[in-house]
Amino acid sequence: MRIILLGAPGAGKGTQAQFISEKTGATPISTGKIIRAAVKNGTPAGLAAKEYIDAGRLVPDEMVIEMLKERLCEDDCKDGYILDGFPRNISQALALEKMGIEVDIVIDILVFDSDVVERLCGRRVCNNCGATYHVETKPSLKGKLCELCDGTLITREDDKPEIVLERLRVYHAETEPLIRHYNAQIKLRTMRSFPTIEDTANGVLAILGESAV
């Protein structure tokens, strides 16, 4: 299946994409990870994207689309994939359709803004392998070090409170119209994020199961 996961920053799209991948074999594709890898590697596109990220702004559509095009051409995307973080707005959705990519289902994971702030501001990421933790809900057993590789856990620039609030403002202004777009195509399914990852995952899988019937 070709799936799109919608939801505000911190809605758990990445976690759910990984869960779906384990259950279905579809490849999770995170534009956020693609962009962060480019930033970390210091590529020209990464350096240009970093200026936008540090300011709490979305990376321009044309930059994201070019990175995504390259990723979807890789072999592991042939048997299905889950798009996490793309499209973010109508322009990107139309670009996706122009590429000839027909998605099967769009799942919108709803979460309160206050929960988003709590989730993201408490998130810690390994600066080496990218593993994700949370100071309250998923602390590392090694304190400030990653359990997997002993890398240092850091707060991403875009997880700082003032940046999170700006990301939410941008999300509500630019991304929510996608809900109307995909609803008009009868592809949208909406669900509330549950308190636990497992309950949310079961909700997502139930939607996918119904759609596969």
Side-chain angles (χ1 to χ4, degrees), residues 122-186:
R123 182 165 59 182
R124 299 295 181 268
V125 179
C126 176
N127 69 343
N128 182 48
C129 72
T132 303
Y133 302 86
H134 192 279
V135 294
E136 294 184 2
T137 60
K138 189 186 174 183
S140 170
L141 297 177
K142 293 186 177 181
K144 296 183 179 181
L145 298 180
C146 176
E147 295 176 11
L148 302 179
C149 69
D150 288 334
T152 301
L153 300 185
I154 63 172
T155 300
R156 287 191 346 212
E157 187 68 27
D158 54 349
D159 283 344
K160 293 181 178 179
E162 63 277 13
I163 301 298
V164 170
L165 292 173
E166 174 62 14
R167 291 171 68 192
L168 280 170
R169 185 195 67 77
V170 171
Y171 168 75
H172 290 303
E174 297 190 12
T175 308
E176 286 187 334
L178 282 172
I179 295 172
R180 295 190 294 272
H181 179 75
Y182 287 117
N183 192 43
Q185 296 183 5
I186 320 177

